[in-house]
Amino acid sequence: MNDMAKNLILWLVIAVVLMSLFQGFGSDDTKKAQIDYTTFNKEVSQGQIQQVQINGQEIKGLKSNQSTFVTYIPAPDLDLVNYLIKNNVKVEGTPPEETSFLASIFVSWFPMLLLIGVWIFFMRNMQGGGKGGAMSFGKSKAKLMSEDQIKTMFSDVAGCDEAKEDVVELVDYLKDSTKFQKLGGRIPTGVLLVGPPGTGKTLLAKAIAGEAKVPFFSISGSDFVEMFVGVGASRVRDMFEQAKKSAPCIIFIDEIDAVGRQRGAGMGGGNDEREQTLNQMLVEMDGFEGNEGIIVIAATNRPDVLDAALLRPGRFDRQVVVGLPDVRGREQILKVHMRKIPLDEDVKATVLARGTPGFSGADLANLVNEAALFAARGNKRTVSKEDFEQARDKILMGAERRSLVMTNKDKESTAYHEAGHAIVAKLVPQHHPIHKVTIIPRGRALGVTQFLPEGDQISQNKDELESSISVAYGGRIAEELIYGAQKVSTGASQDIKQASAIARAMVTEWGFSEKLGPILLTGEQGSLRSNVVSHETGKIIDDEVKAFIDTNYKRAYQLLTDNIDILHAMKEALMKYETIDSDQVDDLMARVTVRPPTDWDEELESAKSKTSEKSESVTPDAVNESQETEAVKESDEPEVNESSKDDVTADKNNDK
Ligand code: ADP
Ligand code: ZN
């Protein structure tokens, strides 16, 4: 933009100079009275002319009465000068005019110069190499934050202590680079932050800049990519040039895989533009000797696709992993974000952290924000535990769909289905404790059974996996026991998918099959490795998978048959309360009277249910999403496993 203005001013100056030059030719004979040659001759003979100046055919002069005049000689008159002298007129000549000579050259060349100028102008733009070109095509789009704009500090980044430790020395280096050089230490010029989205990579990079009080350039890898070859490269060049001006500083490149993919790999063969951009980046990173105080920090989720050249010493030779936070990390992140809002006393970050496995830092920030919004909607002054609960459910499963009117029949079958999951989960060994069971529709699910694992689940043993299979079938079996095999709904499709995926992975990936032993039998995307697996082995795999499923299906069937009274009781409780927590489930399992949930208001609810029953009876077409009843929510996964038939591969389950 600045260069644009400079250019404009330059052109204006040129225009003004030219105009004044052209004006100069006209000189100042405007005021002189023009007389004809005959009159002039007569006046000379009468002695009325005092002085003349002859310039070619033009004669300017002064009369005896001191008035000026101008006249033009019609034809060359060689006797004129003698004649004038004879009549006592003072005659002057003019020096041959140099200015007009130069000007005439200029005038004749002007169109040519103009053309050349325009041509250069366009050439520079086309190459995109124009530093200071009128259009900022090849300029980097990096956003600059100056040191006093950055408010982020290390204390704002929580739950990734290892990553922080890895980068603190960069702060020292940026603060005082000479100290390190004296000792001959080499500080990496490039640091690669590796981790899933939302784990705070940008935040961490910014915090380094904030702590070191240096400017922060940020750009996304995709900003370099342009249709025209060479643009990306020139943007890289431009960015490094800008950065050098404000060194020491940090350049942060988000999604570096957009430019840094392996060269020559991928579809459509080589991509000239991307390669040039990448090459330029390599050149720039080699270019500074570390003494210029620029640290390049790049972020990516996929270090495996990066070009090996980028990872070589002197470039991004240091990798810092910023992973998903564990329970303690989540607690700290929640605390960081909860600092900013007023909380009820009973809101405990520890408890929230336990209930949010798999959440990234960004998810947790979002959770706190949503909770504050719920509180604001309820006109509350502080944010309560219930607000957090609601926010979490919204993030995990989509907003409640209280408006979706379910017929009593659908509600009932959903209640049986969820109760089936819950009861089996209570009775099989080594399953996660239940957090709550609900038949309030959310997102695309009609009901959910949620579990709360005690710690972060890093790996699972065979017992746990088999239990998961049983629990997944619990919902469907409950429906079958109550309504008969003919009436089972399609709602269990997601459960089946999930159970099958677990069983298959147990056989082909985790080596839990006694017949096959611990051999990896899957390829890249979980597909069977056709080159490794023979036809016979394929058949054994199928048999083994089926065997796992059968045993666990039978176990769940047996458990539910033996405890069918609990199934009925839990259905009743769900129909009444819609959501029951672990306390109610415990009561049901102990076959004692169910205590009402803590937030239960008997009178209000009975009034509500009376009116709603009426409306339900007149809306037979209420269920629009078919008979889906939802899936078991395995809470070691952040995403919801709804029972919609088409989406989400159930390839869940940590394959550690
Ligand atoms: P990434 O760059 O890894 O995708 P960001 O740094 O953009 O993630 O994180 C987005 C937001 O999530 C941050 O602005 C911050 O509010 C929150 N956040 C993420 N990780 C953390 C963390 N470790 N500590 C505190 N807040 C975090
Ligand atoms: Zn289910």
Side-chain angles (χ1 to χ4, degrees), residues 156-158 160 196-203 333 337 361-362 365:
D156 296 313
V157 191
C160 45
T199 44
K201 298 184 290 297
T202 316
L203 199 68
I333 296 174
H337 290 281

Side-chain angles (χ1 to χ4, degrees), residues 337-628:
H337 290 281
M338 285 173 10
R339 286 198 297 235
K340 298 162 207 155
I341 57 171
L343 294 171
D344 271 8
E345 261 163 35
D346 60 347
V347 178
K348 295 267 185 319
T350 334
V351 181
L352 282 171
R354 264 195 64 200
T356 46
F359 272 45
S360 70
D363 293 331
L364 293 169
N366 187 21
L367 173 75
V368 175
N369 184 41
E370 285 285 345
L373 289 179
F374 272 119
R377 250 175 257 161
N379 288 327
K380 285 182 249 174
R381 256 194 238 127
T382 53
V383 186
S384 68
K385 217 163 74 180
E386 286 71 35
D387 295 322
F388 275 100
E389 187 77 4
Q390 270 189 299
R392 189 183 79 122
D393 289 353
K394 183 177 171 190
I395 292 169
L396 275 178
M397 300 174 283
E400 283 187 5
R401 293 196 310 179
R402 289 199 181 262
S403 58
L404 173 74
V405 191
M406 289 189 7
T407 59
N408 255 5
K409 202 172 128 279
D410 287 326
K411 245 172 136 173
E412 195 186 78
S413 71
T414 307
Y416 274 123
H417 182 106
E418 296 309 326
H421 284 310
I423 293 168
V424 177
K426 275 305 231 187
L427 297 173
V428 289
Q430 300 209 17
H431 202 275
H432 306 309
I434 286 173
H435 176 59
K436 68 179 181 189
V437 186
T438 173
I439 56 166
I440 296 172
R442 273 176 185 287
R444 302 179 62 186
L446 295 188
V448 178
T449 304
Q450 261 181 17
F451 301 103
L452 199 55
E454 250 122 26
D456 279 330
Q457 191 126 39
I458 295 166
S459 73
Q460 286 175 294
N461 61 33
K462 195 173 168 190
D463 270 350
E464 288 171 321
L465 290 165
E466 291 202 73
S467 292
S468 303
I469 298 178
S470 290
V471 172
Y473 283 120
R476 184 189 156 92
I477 295 169
E479 284 186 62
E480 190 183 327
L481 284 175
I482 304 297
Y483 301 111
Q486 294 299 311
K487 294 271 162 49
V488 172
S489 74
T490 55
S493 70
Q494 196 62 29
D495 298 338
I496 295 173
K497 219 178 194 175
Q498 187 184 329
S500 314
I502 297 174
R504 185 159 283 276
M506 283 175 75
V507 175
T508 61
E509 287 176 44
W510 301 323
F512 284 130
S513 152
E514 270 158 34
K515 271 192 206 152
L516 289 163
I519 306 172
L520 177 70
L521 296 164
T522 53
E524 276 293 297
Q525 263 89 41
S527 57
L528 282 182
R529 294 168 69 171
S530 49
N531 52 343
V532 185
V533 178
S534 68
H535 188 69
E536 295 85 72
T537 319
K539 198 167 169 334
I540 304 177
I541 292 176
D542 288 342
D543 291 345
E544 287 290 275
V545 171
K546 185 145 189 344
F548 273 127
I549 288 180
D550 280 350
T551 11
N552 288 297
Y553 187 93
K554 285 206 188 95
R555 171 167 64 163
Y557 197 95
Q558 196 56 49
L559 288 172
L560 284 173
T561 327
D562 294 347
N563 295 284
I564 196 135
D565 55 320
I566 301 182
L567 184 64
H568 285 298
M570 196 176 288
K571 177 220 99 183
E572 284 305 321
L574 280 170
M575 293 297 278
K576 183 171 179 193
Y577 301 122
E578 291 193 333
T579 302
I580 55 175
D581 317 333
S582 54
D583 287 345
Q584 281 82 44
V585 175
D586 287 344
D587 289 348
L588 285 158
M589 296 310 289
R591 296 186 167 83
V592 298
T593 322
V594 186
R595 64 194 115 159
T598 40
D599 55 350
W600 183 255
D601 186 337
E602 189 73 46
E603 279 167 35
L604 186 83
E605 294 297 329
S606 67
K608 246 206 288 193
S609 69
K610 256 177 220 140
T611 49
S612 71
E613 250 150 49
K614 257 182 233 147
S615 71
E616 269 163 26
S617 55
V618 291
T619 47
D621 58 341
V623 177
N624 45 14
E625 302 250 312
S626 82
Q627 296 272 326
E628 13 183 295

Side-chain angles (χ1 to χ4, degrees), residues 28-37 39-40 43 49 51-52 58-63 65-72:
D28 53 352
D29 45 12
T30 37
K31 277 199 205 117
K32 296 192 173 85
Q34 193 185 333
I35 53 176
D36 58 76
Y37 194 60
T39 321
F40 171 68
E43 285 179 349
I49 304 292
Q51 181 185 349
V52 293
E58 183 195 61
I59 300 171
K60 291 185 250 177
L62 193 65
K63 296 184 187 175
N65 62 4
Q66 297 303 311
S67 68
T68 55
F69 70 89
V70 65
T71 185
Y72 301 96

